[in-house]
Amino acid sequence: MEYLFIGLAVGAVLAYFIFARFGGSGKKERVNSQSVILIEKIRSVCKFITVEGDFSEIFYYENVKDKWLNLILGKKKALVLIEAKAHIGFDLTKVKMSSDTKNRTIVLTNFPHPELLTIETDFKYYDKKEGWANPFTAGDLTEINQEAKKHIVDKIPESGLLQEASKQALETIQLMEKLVETINWKLDYTALDVDNIPKEIGSKK
């Protein structure tokens, strides 16, 4: 009977260490897996649009590349009405994060600046004039569209849209924070550079 109790005691101790060894390892592996999945979920959002801006501009085009050809065959020029919608926001693939599995915390160390994510354009041509032997070609129209689109893109920095989107950075981070909290983790963004983000973000300690 005495040997039976000793055997049961030894078995219980061995069972405990085996469970602690493999059970703890499995738990740690699950926590690591959670953090990886969570970071990938945040990055999979990719481009997060926070501000839209509408533009209506008149763009003047004149073919000045072939100066001598224009003199001989006639100039071609056109007025183009550009209607455009610009989408400004954050490319979340540029977010830098790491995981602290011990404290179940995602540490945010870099948040991107707002940028132009997409732009939709529509062109209407007015007062289109061609040379007597110098008509518009498909290549000319492609060039006009590209230059007109660039004209809008160049207007964006002075439009205030980037500054407006920057004000939405905190809301974007708070959205990420809520996503993290769905699996009972925390988001720590105290390491962010307060000089490169709105001041209210850096105020959280």
Side-chain angles (χ1 to χ4, degrees):
M1 183 68 69
E2 182 179 350
Y3 289 112
L4 176 61
F5 282 116
I6 292 173
L8 289 173
V10 171
V13 171
L14 288 174
Y16 171 79
F17 281 109
I18 291 171
F19 176 79
R21 168 72 174 171
F22 294 100
S25 176
K27 182 179 179 182
K28 184 177 180 181
E29 186 176 329
R30 284 195 301 274
V31 171
N32 285 332
S33 178
Q34 274 186 330
S35 67
V36 171
I37 291 172
L38 190 58
I39 289 174
E40 290 308 313
K41 274 187 177 180
I42 292 172
R43 285 183 174 148
S44 68
V45 176
C46 290
K47 296 180 179 180
F48 189 70
I49 296 171
T50 56
V51 175
E52 289 185 350
D54 294 314
F55 293 84
S56 182
E57 293 278 335
I58 297 293
F59 175 72
Y60 176 73
Y61 171 84
E62 182 176 350
N63 182 5
V64 294
K65 291 180 180 178
D66 305 313
K67 184 177 179 180
W68 296 108
L69 190 64
N70 289 339
L71 287 174
I72 298 171
L73 303 180
K75 291 182 180 180
K76 47 189 173 185
K77 52 188 178 180
L79 283 178
V80 185
L81 173 63
I82 315 166
E83 299 285 349
K85 183 181 291 292
H87 299 114
I88 311 294
F90 304 96
D91 184 352
L92 298 186
T93 61
K94 297 179 181 178
V95 168
K96 292 183 180 177
M97 294 175 288
S98 60
S99 60
D100 178 357
T101 54
K102 182 179 178 181
N103 296 307
R104 298 177 69 86
T105 301
I106 298 295
V107 182
L108 181 60
T109 55
N110 180 70
F111 194 77
H113 291 289
E115 60 185 271
L116 173 65
L117 299 178
T118 62
I119 184 168
E120 300 170 4
T121 52
D122 182 49
F123 306 103
K124 293 183 175 65
Y125 293 88
Y126 296 92
D127 196 25
K128 187 166 68 172
K129 294 181 179 178
E130 301 175 316
W132 68 274
N134 191 16
F136 278 100
T137 64
D140 291 328
L141 296 179
T142 299
E143 181 185 346
I144 292 172
N145 289 352
Q146 289 174 344
E147 290 189 15
K149 185 174 181 179
K150 183 179 181 300
H151 176 74
I152 293 294
V153 172
D154 291 341
K155 292 278 185 180
I156 289 174
E158 63 190 55
S159 68
L161 289 176
L162 293 173
Q163 291 83 349
E164 185 62 31
S166 183
K167 295 177 184 178
Q168 307 300 320
L170 177 59
E171 292 182 15
T172 305
I173 291 176
Q174 288 174 335
L175 183 65
M176 293 167 58
E177 188 173 34
K178 289 177 182 177
L179 178 60
V180 170
E181 289 172 352
T182 59
I183 60 168
N184 297 318
W185 280 56
K186 295 182 296 183
L187 179 68
D188 179 1
Y189 51 86
T190 56
L192 292 179
D193 184 356
V194 295
D195 294 328
N196 291 325
I197 54 177
K199 295 296 182 183
E200 60 267 24
I201 297 178
S203 65
K204 180 173 178 177
K205 300 294 182 184

